[in-house]
Amino acid sequence: MNKEDSLSEVLARLTAKGGISFNVICTSIDIRAGLAMRRFVNIPKSSNTVKKMVLDFSNNIKNVIRNELRQKINSETKFSISFDEWTSIRNTRYLNINLHDGDNFWNLGLVRIVGTIPAEKCVILLKEKLTAFGLNLEKSIVCMMTDGASVMKKIGKLLQINQQLCFAHRTQLALISVLYNTSASICTQRQLVEEVD
């Protein structure tokens, strides 16, 4: 066990990285025995307690990031952002947002997407997430990087900041188009052509 590991941190890792539910952590004899072998005491028996511990740990990490960013903002550091839509294996959609300052980057977390997400709605979600970390989209952000999807291009037009389309994404689409030149890749070829335009 690392000295830095706390029970809350281990529970957060089990849920976030391992995909283990709060209920399974409370009811699995093997998980509880493993935690006890790591000399953890007061292992929660209620899924609500596990949930509270994980959320408290998450809030502590967010506060550390907020403090780091506050110092950067006070020294008038400018940032860039990269973001994209992501769909989980359960078909749940999210917007993932990363913040960069040249030397460092911070993952600001996922924003749940419910229903359609036109560019205008994406801008609202983006502003809300940045505001939660003390950032102002218009004042703190000078550049954004996205893929070349039409909704992302429209976001670039709506915002008054520089936009860089991701070269890696274009390269991937080109490689898929060449390597897997089948009827299934026609959609990919069309997407590549749209991005280049």
Side-chain angles (χ1 to χ4, degrees):
M1 175 169 75
N2 295 331
K3 289 181 181 176
E4 304 84 32
D5 282 352
S6 64
L7 179 57
S8 296
E9 184 174 357
V10 171
L11 294 176
R13 240 190 341 260
L14 285 171
T15 57
K17 291 178 97 176
I20 300 172
S21 72
F22 301 141
N23 190 47
V24 169
I25 291 171
C26 294
T27 58
S28 169
I29 296 169
D30 294 320
I31 290 175
R32 296 183 67 76
L35 292 172
M37 287 182 68
R38 292 184 68 178
R39 296 191 172 97
F40 287 120
V41 294
N42 301 325
I43 300 166
K45 297 178 181 175
S46 158
S47 60
N48 287 332
T49 306
V50 174
K51 179 179 179 180
K52 182 182 181 326
M53 291 177 75
V54 169
L55 291 176
D56 287 346
F57 180 76
S58 170
N59 288 330
N60 289 338
I61 296 295
K62 288 177 185 175
N63 286 332
V64 168
I65 293 172
R66 281 187 192 98
N67 290 334
E68 286 178 19
L69 294 178
R70 189 176 303 116
Q71 291 174 3
K72 297 272 187 181
I73 292 166
N74 289 340
S75 67
E76 298 185 4
T77 300
K78 297 297 182 187
F79 301 94
S80 62
I81 54 173
S82 59
F83 59 97
D84 198 7
E85 186 179 326
W86 174 75
T87 305
S88 74
I89 58 173
R90 293 182 179 173
N91 210 27
T92 306
R93 295 169 52 226
Y94 298 92
L95 186 66
N96 183 38
I97 303 167
N98 294 304
L99 183 72
H100 313 263
D101 77 348
D103 297 323
N104 306 296
F105 82 93
W106 299 265
N107 183 294
L108 301 184
L110 300 172
V111 178
R112 177 75 191 274
I113 298 172
V114 179
T116 61
I117 183 160
E120 295 80 6
K121 183 177 177 183
C122 189
V123 168
I124 291 168
L125 294 175
L126 189 58
K127 285 183 178 182
E128 288 174 354
K129 182 55 102 170
L130 291 173
T131 301
F133 284 89
L135 296 158
N136 181 303
L137 183 61
E138 288 80 15
K139 294 180 182 177
S140 304
I141 310 299
V142 294
C143 182
M144 67 179 194
M145 186 182 71
T146 65
D147 64 16
S150 57
V151 70
M152 294 298 175
K153 287 181 181 178
K154 186 171 181 183
I155 292 167
K157 290 176 183 173
L158 291 173
L159 299 174
Q160 298 300 312
I161 59 176
N162 295 318
Q163 181 180 25
Q164 173 64 55
L165 298 179
C166 178
F167 292 123
H169 187 256
R170 287 182 176 187
T171 303
Q172 178 195 17
L173 292 174
L175 287 171
I176 289 171
S177 177
V178 170
L179 295 175
Y180 304 102
N181 193 4
T182 64
S183 59
S185 72
I186 290 173
C187 176
T188 305
Q189 292 170 358
R190 285 188 190 132
Q191 187 178 1
L192 180 61
V193 170
E194 287 174 7
E195 284 196 13
V196 172
D197 291 340

